[in-house]
């Protein structure tokens, strides 16, 4: 079931999510209808610090207080409107580790990151109903159905979940793990999803037009970055053959006359150098330089140098200089240095 988080604040939408649709079972949400209706106690949940509560609070126990309309967590806001409040910045969820291990939910290489108590912190002065319902869903689901976030929802929701997710392609799976660093990848699943299951027929047609804001910036650049990250992980694991397949796809399918070069393209060039594809790497860096320098000239000619676009192009030139220097492309390094100095001096 796909959940649109911006709709997940509306009671009519939550009602739909709590019903079975075709083969998609109802979402496991413990709150009753009256507890998420508009104008109720859970429209928003303000943070209300309690001196008697230190550290994390148990998520299931807190949900129990909400379900029973416990007055201990209710606070009055402007106009004497009452809401349920949250007395801590951190929720803790008990994890049935034995169930998780038996179900083989977590890849073998991440088994040592499985935790008995999962801490979920949150930000802001109040929590929206949509985020609170996601917490309810996580607790009530008990890892029976997989829960995924796309990049936008993972970054926009007020819950800090990035150390509890593994990337499997264009989506991130929530798991009862705690990572030391963010941006971890389930390499095998990501390779399977991106290289064997994903289909991009229109990318092969260079007559298709992709506008900047919706496709070039939000979709194509992100897609390139995902493939680049996968290739980098494969190289680090010593799987150079698979890494070459991935970089070949990025180079041949995600670059072309109808696709803009961008920050992700620099990483692709770096990967080509690492895989001893010097000819292709130099061709891509030359295209990156020409596109960036042409855009800078356009910005200057139209008195638009003081813009975000200029900053991005200068950053690309600077990164190209670093790459050219690293891989001994003296000619490109000189061009990048002169171009950067020229336009930076004009700002």
């Amino acid at each position: 079931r796909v959940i649109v988080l911006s709709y997940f604040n509306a009671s009519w939408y939550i009602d739909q999510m709590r019903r079975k649709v075709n083969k998609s079972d109802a979402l496991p949400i413990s709150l009753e209808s009256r507890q998420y209706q508009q104008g109720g106690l859970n429209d928003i949940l303000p943070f209300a610090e309690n001196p008697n509560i230190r550290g994390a609070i148990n998520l299931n126990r807190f949900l129990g207080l909400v379900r029973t309309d416990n007055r201990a967590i209710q606070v009055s806001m402007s106009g004497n409107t009452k809401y349920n409040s949250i007395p801590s910045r951190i929720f803790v969820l008990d994890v049935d580790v034995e169930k998780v291990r038996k179900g083989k939910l977590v890849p073998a290489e991440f088994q040592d990151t499985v935790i008995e108590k999962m801490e979920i912190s949150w930000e802001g002065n109040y929590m929206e109903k949509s985020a609170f319902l996601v917490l309810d869903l996580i607790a009530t689901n008990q890892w029976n159905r997989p829960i995924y976030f796309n990049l936008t929802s993972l970054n926009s929701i007020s819950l800090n979940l990035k150390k509890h997710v593994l990337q499997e392609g264009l989506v991130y799976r929530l798991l009862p793990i705690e990572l030391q660093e963010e941006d971890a990848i389930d390499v095998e699943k990501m390779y399977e999803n991106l290289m064997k299951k994903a289909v991009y027929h229109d990318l092969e047609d260079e007559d298709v037009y992709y506008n900047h804001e919706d496709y070039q910036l939000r979709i194509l650049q992100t897609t390139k970055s995902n493939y680049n990250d996968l290739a980098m992980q494969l190289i680090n694991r010593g799987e150079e053959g698979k890494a070459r397949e991935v970089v070949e796809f990025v180079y041949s399918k995600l670059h072309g006359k109808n696709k803009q070069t961008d920050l992700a393209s620099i990483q692709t060039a770096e990967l080509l150098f690492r895989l001893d594809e010097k000819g292709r790497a130099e061709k891509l860096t030359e295209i990156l330089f020409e596109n960036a320098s042409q855009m800078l000239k356009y910005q200057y000619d139209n008195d638009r140098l003081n813009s975000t676009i200029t900053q991005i192009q200068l950053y690309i030139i600077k990164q190209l200089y670093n790459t050219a220097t690293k891989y001994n492309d003296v000619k490109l390094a000189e061009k990048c240095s002169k171009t950067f100095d020229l336009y930076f001096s004009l700002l």
Side-chain angles (χ1 to χ4, degrees):
R1 184 70 67 92
V2 175
I3 303 171
V4 181
L5 287 179
S6 57
Y7 292 171
F8 215 31
N9 286 305
S11 55
W12 60 266
Y13 186 74
I14 303 167
D15 285 338
Q16 291 182 4
M17 295 294 103
R18 293 180 71 227
R19 294 196 296 265
K20 182 174 182 177
V21 177
N22 299 323
K23 294 182 179 181
S24 176
D25 288 335
L27 291 186
I29 295 173
S30 69
L31 296 188
E32 297 178 7
S33 179
R34 65 178 182 82
Q35 292 168 327
Y36 57 75
Q37 293 300 314
Q38 259 59 40
L41 291 170
N42 300 306
D43 268 0
I44 60 169
L45 294 92
F47 173 67
E49 191 171 7
N50 187 327
N52 297 319
I53 297 177
R54 296 181 180 180
I57 55 175
N58 186 281
L59 177 54
N60 279 310
R61 291 177 188 170
F62 183 78
L63 285 167
L65 295 176
V66 172
R67 287 193 296 266
T68 57
D69 300 325
N70 194 298
R71 293 185 179 183
I73 59 172
Q74 295 176 11
V75 294
S76 295
M77 304 291 283
S78 59
N80 206 31
T81 304
K82 286 189 175 182
Y83 295 111
N84 284 325
S85 66
I86 303 177
S88 174
R89 292 288 187 188
I90 304 173
F91 287 102
V92 62
L93 177 66
D94 294 324
V95 176
D96 186 341
V97 175
E98 185 178 355
K99 175 182 177 179
V100 170
R101 295 195 191 282
K102 282 185 177 180
K104 298 181 180 179
L105 301 182
V106 179
E109 63 184 297
F110 292 99
Q111 282 295 320
D112 60 346
T113 67
V114 175
I115 47 179
E116 294 182 355
K117 294 184 180 293
M118 181 176 176
E119 291 190 353
I120 302 175
S121 61
W122 64 285
E123 302 170 346
N125 295 321
Y126 63 88
M127 183 180 293
E128 290 189 359
K129 186 192 303 179
S130 57
F132 185 59
L133 280 168
V134 170
L135 285 175
D136 185 354
L137 175 64
I138 293 170
T140 308
N141 182 56
Q142 297 182 354
W143 312 107
N144 290 320
R145 291 165 68 178
I147 298 174
Y148 288 88
F149 293 85
N150 66 7
L151 183 62
T152 303
S153 60
L154 188 63
N155 286 326
S156 61
I157 197 167
S158 60
L159 308 174
N160 294 319
L161 300 172
K162 291 184 179 179
K163 288 190 176 182
H164 307 298
V165 296
L166 288 179
Q167 188 176 5
E168 294 184 3
L170 305 183
V171 291
Y172 301 78
R173 183 172 181 177
L174 182 71
L175 290 167
I177 60 176
E178 185 168 326
L179 304 168
Q180 294 301 312
E181 298 180 1
E182 299 173 3
D183 303 321
I185 291 174
D186 183 338
V187 176
E188 291 185 6
K189 281 192 177 180
M190 191 161 176
Y191 178 83
E192 178 77 14
N193 288 335
L194 293 186
M195 297 303 294
K196 296 184 179 181
K197 294 182 178 180
V199 178
Y200 304 99
H201 289 310
D202 280 352
L203 290 180
E204 299 173 6
D205 184 355
E206 292 197 343
D207 290 329
V208 174
Y209 171 73
Y210 298 104
N211 69 32
H212 175 74
E213 185 67 24
D214 297 310
Y215 286 94
Q216 303 283 2
L217 187 61
R218 296 174 186 238
I219 297 177
L220 290 177
Q221 182 171 233
T222 301
T223 302
K224 280 185 246 184
S225 294
N226 287 330
Y227 278 87
N228 288 336
D229 291 343
L230 173 60
M232 186 67 71
Q233 287 294 321
L234 288 166
I235 291 174
N236 293 340
R237 286 161 61 112
E239 298 184 57
E240 190 173 298
K242 286 185 175 180
R244 286 183 181 279
E245 290 180 45
V246 176
V247 177
E248 167 63 26
F249 179 89
V250 179
Y251 181 82
S252 62
K253 304 294 186 183
L254 300 180
H255 292 90
K257 68 179 183 180
N258 61 337
K259 305 172 193 74
Q260 297 172 4
T261 50
D262 47 40
L263 297 175
S265 301
I266 298 175
Q267 189 182 24
T268 302
E270 176 86 15
L271 288 165
L272 287 166
F273 275 119
R274 287 191 63 176
L275 293 169
D276 295 323
E277 293 281 352
K278 187 177 179 181
R280 285 182 165 183
E282 290 181 345
K283 182 179 179 180
L284 182 54
T285 53
E286 188 63 34
I287 293 172
L288 275 159
F289 173 77
E290 289 299 325
N291 289 350
S293 58
Q294 286 177 20
M295 180 58 73
L296 286 169
K297 184 178 184 305
Y298 175 83
Q299 295 294 100
Y300 174 75
D301 290 344
N302 291 275
D303 197 25
R304 296 178 179 178
L305 270 185
N306 292 316
S307 68
T308 303
I309 292 176
T310 297
Q311 297 297 326
I312 292 173
Q313 301 309 314
L314 284 174
Y315 181 79
I316 288 175
I317 294 287
K318 183 178 180 181
Q319 293 302 112
L320 278 174
Y321 171 81
N322 293 336
T323 300
T325 302
K326 183 177 180 179
Y327 292 100
N328 299 315
D329 189 338
V330 178
K331 184 179 178 181
L332 178 62
E334 289 179 354
K335 290 196 296 184
C336 288
S337 179
K338 290 180 181 178
T339 302
F340 183 90
D341 291 343
L342 171 61
Y343 287 102
F344 188 78
S345 68
L346 295 173
L347 289 175

